[in-house]
Amino acid sequence: QQQVKQSPQSLIVQKGGIPIINCAYENTAFDYFPWYQQFPGKGPALLIAIRPDVSEKKEGRFTISFNKSAKQFSLHIMDSQPGDSATYFCAASMADDMRFGAGTRLTVKP
Amino acid sequence: DARVTQTPRHKVTEMGQEVTMRCQPILGHNTVFWYRQTMMQGLELLAYFRNRAPLDDSGMPKDRFSAEMPDATLATLKIQPSEPRDSAVYFCASGLVGAGGTEAFFGQGTRLTVV
């Protein structure tokens, strides 16, 4: 049973565009929602994270929007650059568990 | 520069052979995760440990996989006997359980190919 559902599977945008990646979770016990960025041949790296007591968090060009009642959260990348091309994973975590979405392969075209 | 170290980075082995993957978590972290990544399944949680004790290994095929933490600086994932369907990238991640959620840091992974 997939505990975190992520969409879309892949996404292509032009440089400067704003890709949006969406995730939904089932278990209301999750209380920490990180996003990871993975480049080919590397391990996932923590990008930005949010806790359910806030509805939005921004770090540089990356913004997480969180809707607790809908059990959904999303990642927005402002002014996307070719260097942002990577696979992005959302995750939902509680003290002793962390589950990942299936990943979104993002391509930002020059 | 604290980071999770995994060895080996690459492993090619024949079906039926034993494979051992090692992970050195970040010093001071109390939680260790093992994940498997494939194109078809994405990132799958295999097992995790808190303070070296296994908390959940329900994601692992029990008949052939085993995970241990012999000490706080070493976690191992063993496959015996290995099968071609085990070919994947195996990631170890370590984290520090805080007030709500665990921030986890990943190693570079071990790319396993079973032929």
Side-chain angles (χ1 to χ4, degrees):
Chain A
Q1 181 188 0
Q2 192 177 12
Q3 297 196 33
V4 181
K5 294 183 180 177
Q6 183 173 346
S7 63
Q9 199 170 20
S10 62
L11 188 54
I12 301 173
V13 300
Q14 292 294 133
K15 177 182 173 182
I18 306 176
I20 300 173
I21 304 170
N22 300 298
C23 284
Y25 62 98
E26 296 289 328
N27 190 342
T28 55
F30 288 130
D31 54 10
Y32 179 71
F33 301 89
W35 284 88
Y36 286 80
Q37 180 187 55
Q38 186 180 27
F39 293 106
K42 303 291 186 182
L46 181 64
L47 184 64
I48 184 174
I50 196 168
R51 299 195 187 278
D53 53 344
V54 298
S55 60
E56 184 177 282
K57 183 173 181 180
K58 186 176 295 187
E59 287 185 3
R61 296 184 293 106
F62 300 92
T63 299
I64 301 177
S65 298
F66 189 85
N67 185 331
K68 187 174 181 178
S69 61
K71 294 188 287 185
Q72 295 176 347
F73 56 110
S74 59
L75 176 71
H76 302 230
I77 305 175
M78 310 301 287
D79 187 27
S80 59
Q81 302 295 313
D84 296 330
S85 297
T87 299
Y88 292 81
F89 294 92
C90 63
S93 169
M94 62 181 99
D96 292 324
D97 196 359
M98 186 161 68
R99 304 285 169 162
F100 283 84
T104 297
R105 187 186 297 270
L106 172 67
T107 302
V108 181
K109 296 199 166 191
Chain B
D1 182 24
R3 55 182 169 176
V4 176
T5 302
Q6 288 186 249
T7 57
R9 290 293 312 278
H10 304 272
K11 176 72 176 179
V12 180
T13 191
E14 291 185 348
M15 182 174 63
Q17 296 297 305
E18 178 180 295
V19 175
T20 299
M21 291 168 271
R22 293 178 173 80
C23 169
Q24 181 176 354
I26 293 173
L27 191 65
H29 281 185
N30 60 2
T31 304
V32 173
F33 302 89
W34 281 105
Y35 290 91
R36 175 171 61 185
Q37 186 175 36
T38 62
M39 289 295 292
M40 293 299 294
Q41 300 294 329
L43 272 168
E44 298 174 273
L45 179 64
L46 297 175
Y48 57 90
F49 294 75
R50 167 86 73 79
N51 296 323
R52 295 177 54 202
L55 289 188
D56 187 353
D57 60 2
S58 60
M60 292 199 310
K62 297 290 191 307
D63 57 337
R64 300 184 299 107
F65 284 60
S66 61
E68 295 179 345
M69 276 201 78
D71 61 62
T73 65
L74 178 64
T76 62
L77 180 66
K78 189 174 294 186
I79 308 174
Q80 167 62 25
S82 57
E83 298 181 1
R85 60 179 168 153
D86 301 329
S87 298
V89 181
Y90 291 81
F91 286 104
C92 171
S94 75
L96 189 61
V97 175
T102 299
E103 187 173 276
F105 297 86
F106 282 78
Q108 298 275 54
T110 294
R111 182 176 294 276
L112 174 65
T113 303
V114 183
V115 297

